[in-house]
Each structure stands twice: as structure tokens, then as C-alpha cells.
Amino acid sequence: MTTDIIELNDFIVLIEQSNTTKTFVQKCEIDGDAVGFAFYGSGNVELEIKHNNQTKYLTNTTGLAICFFGNQKVEFAHKIEPDKPLQSISIFTKLKNLPSLPQAEKEVFEKYLPQLLNPQEHFVKGPSFYMTLDMQLAVQKIFNTNYTDNTRLLFLKSQINELLAHFFGLLASDQKQAFSDKDKDKIFQAKEIVTHNYSQPPSITQLSKMVGLNSNKLKKNFKEIFGIPVFKFVQEERLNKAYELLQNKDKTVQEAAWEVGYESISSFSNAFYKKFATRPNDVKQKYFSNKL
């Protein structure tokens, strides 16, 4: 587990990544009253939260964005699943720092996260949702940047601001619709199916039958919950997996493309570049240079 801690004005940013073959638990605490945001680029994490003799569990998975209030009386423990590389970005700011923010930023916090600014408990969970493609791209840029020193800090600041702007933008848009728990469970079941069968995913008709939801409702609700159509989600899963293969295993670019379901290397390379702003060969070369 590697953690890069960066101070950006009144915000503390933790850029964390790991790749483990066994279950890994990391404990942490918050120093004082703070509002936090977390963006999960990859991996599955079970978050254990203890306070006031209570224990809560949150499962955070690839693509999820969350926010919360916490203080020094809360104990956090991240349980990271084996063989699922974690990439997460956490952003914290102390409540005492909020009055010193520019007026426009302070008003955004006050308008959209009042429950976190006026907490009734030591831990308060705020809104959470799956990231848009723009947010996912910002996360990937943070992990893939080659900038160093002050140039890197300037770049990270721009990407962190972009992530927060998109987060509040989604809260402001109020585009999320209410779903029955039953329908939501079926949509998440559909997500799990295509996540585990990304190289040869079922058709929409087949997927609809598998989860017991008609095709139109499946497509509409899937996009509403996850922000992208089913076929686009599958493409994102393919490319994320390809990145992991290139970065963490002894796979050639061609082998990685074939394994995630691409027959054309040029199509794979173009789609990869569009998502990560880098070519598959560059990722491979970067990985091998880091091993040497």
C-alpha cells in the first residue's frame, strides 16, 4: 500500500494505491472535525467505521464517489480485497477552514452538504454516486501523470478542483431518480454480470432475462444510476482491466487487447488513449522501467 499525502491550500489529499495477493487492512483516524470526499478509481474496499460503540460497514467499489463527516472519535479500517488493485483519492478539509474559503466555494458547501457542516454524530455519511466519465478521467490523470515537483502540484490541484466541481455539479443537477429497492438490486446485479463477463458480455436482451427486467427499463435505469449506457460501461471495464494487465502482469499489448475482448489492436489503442490519455505501449514501458 502506497500513500502520497499532499497539502493543497486548506485541503489534505491522499492518493492511495495497492496491489496485494492477500487481504489487507489499513486503520486510520481523522485529526479533528473534517469533511471528506473519496473517489475510487479501481478496487473494492470494505470500510469499517466505529464510533459510540457502533460499527458500520460501507462497501466502496470501482467508480464510486462518496462524502462524509468524521472526527477524532471515529476509527476507520479499510479492508482491501486481494488481487484487486486499489486506486483511490481522498480529500479532507477541516470544518474550521471552511469560513476562510472563497465566498463562492463556501456557499457551495453550505448549500449542498448542510448535514456534514452541522453534524449530529461523530460520523455522518453524505451523498454518494457513481462517477461520470469526466470524473473517472480526472482520477486516471492523477495516477498517470508524469509531472514532478511544483508542476505536479499545480496539475494535481487542477484535477482535484475538477473532481470537486463535478461532485457538486451532480448534487446541483438533481438528476437522480428514485428507484424501488427491488429494481435497484436488479440493476446492480446487471452491473456485476457485465463486470465479470466484460470480454464476452451478454446482449441487452440476454441481460434483461438474466436479471428479470425489461430491456428499456434496464437501459434507462442503468444509465440513470451509473451515468453511462450498459455498452459504454462494458467498454470502460475492458479498458480498466487492460490497464491492470499491462501494469501488473507480464502481458504484451496484443495479449491484453485479446484478453479484454478487442480483436483490433488499433481500435484497442485508440480507445485506450481516449480514456487514459496515454498509449498501451507507454504504460507497458513505464511499468518495466519502474521494475528495473
Side-chain angles (χ1 to χ4, degrees):
M1 181 80 174
T2 60
T3 303
D4 192 2
I5 304 175
I6 299 171
E7 294 187 27
L8 296 175
N9 298 330
D10 292 325
F11 293 90
I12 300 295
V13 180
L14 307 181
I15 301 175
E16 300 175 294
Q17 55 185 330
S18 71
N19 185 20
T20 178
T21 57
K22 61 182 180 180
T23 300
F24 177 79
V25 178
Q26 182 184 45
K27 296 183 178 181
C28 60
E29 296 179 352
I30 297 177
D31 180 21
D33 296 348
V35 174
F37 303 83
F39 303 87
Y40 292 88
S42 66
N44 290 338
V45 178
E46 184 179 271
L47 180 60
E48 180 185 82
I49 305 158
K50 292 184 177 181
H51 66 96
N52 285 357
N53 296 319
Q54 301 178 29
T55 301
K56 298 179 180 178
Y57 295 93
L58 299 176
T59 299
N60 302 319
T61 189
T62 300
L64 196 67
I66 67 172
C67 65
F68 57 89
F69 164 84
N71 60 27
Q72 69 275 13
K73 295 184 179 181
V74 183
E75 295 180 10
F76 295 90
H78 289 85
K79 182 179 179 181
I80 302 170
E81 294 187 10
D83 301 320
K84 293 185 178 179
L86 170 70
Q87 289 186 333
S88 68
I89 297 166
S90 302
I91 306 167
F92 297 92
T93 185
K94 297 286 186 67
L95 286 186
K96 66 181 182 180
N97 293 334
L98 293 178
S100 63
L101 290 176
Q103 185 63 28
E105 294 182 23
K106 184 170 66 172
E107 289 178 359
V108 168
F109 273 84
E110 292 172 345
K111 182 176 181 179
Y112 296 112
L113 297 176
Q115 72 274 45
L116 304 187
L117 303 191
N118 303 283
Q120 302 301 310
E121 298 184 48
H122 298 304
F123 175 83
V124 179
K125 182 178 179 296
S128 63
F129 39 75
Y130 280 86
M131 291 186 284
T132 63
L133 292 182
D134 287 335
M135 296 170 77
Q136 293 178 40
L137 183 59
V139 170
Q140 292 301 328
K141 285 180 179 178
I142 288 173
F143 283 101
N144 296 334
T145 181
N146 292 319
Y147 294 136
T148 60
D149 302 325
N150 289 335
T151 304
R152 180 171 183 262
L153 289 177
L154 288 172
F155 177 77
L156 292 178
K157 182 178 180 180
S158 70
Q159 298 304 305
I160 294 302
N161 286 334
E162 181 177 344
L163 279 174
L164 291 176
H166 285 310
F167 190 97
F168 284 112
L170 282 177
L171 292 180
S173 68
D174 194 29
Q175 292 178 344
K176 299 290 182 294
Q177 296 181 358
F179 301 99
S180 70
D181 289 340
K182 186 176 181 180
D183 281 354
K184 186 177 291 186
D185 286 343
K186 290 180 178 180
I187 295 300
F188 275 84
Q189 183 185 351
K191 172 184 173 288
E192 288 301 309
I193 291 172
V194 296
T195 296
H196 290 98
N197 298 277
Y198 55 84
S199 61
Q200 292 183 318
S203 67
I204 292 294
T205 301
Q206 292 171 328
L207 187 60
S208 298
K209 291 179 180 179
M210 294 169 76
V211 301
L213 206 60
N214 73 66
S215 298
N216 290 335
K217 197 170 187 179
L218 171 64
K219 291 188 290 186
K220 180 177 182 296
N221 290 4
F222 193 99
K223 185 175 181 180
E224 190 67 34
I225 291 177
F226 299 116
I228 53 176
V230 178
F231 75 90
K232 185 65 176 176
F233 181 87
V234 172
Q235 183 186 44
E236 294 294 305
E237 286 297 302
R238 286 176 169 175
L239 294 173
N240 287 335
K241 181 61 178 179
Y243 195 102
E244 292 176 18
L245 291 172
L246 293 172
Q247 189 178 38
N248 301 303
K249 296 185 178 180
D250 296 328
K251 296 282 186 180
T252 66
V253 171
Q254 188 174 59
E255 288 171 339
W258 286 344
E259 185 162 328
V260 300
Y262 279 88
E263 296 182 0
S264 168
I265 300 301
S266 60
S267 295
F268 169 66
S269 182
N270 290 335
F272 194 95
Y273 184 81
K274 185 176 182 180
K275 176 174 174 61
F276 299 113
T278 187
R279 294 290 179 183
N281 278 326
D282 295 333
V283 174
K284 198 67 182 174
Q285 290 173 4
K286 180 181 178 182
Y287 168 63
F288 278 115
S289 65
N290 289 337
K291 287 182 66 178
L292 297 177

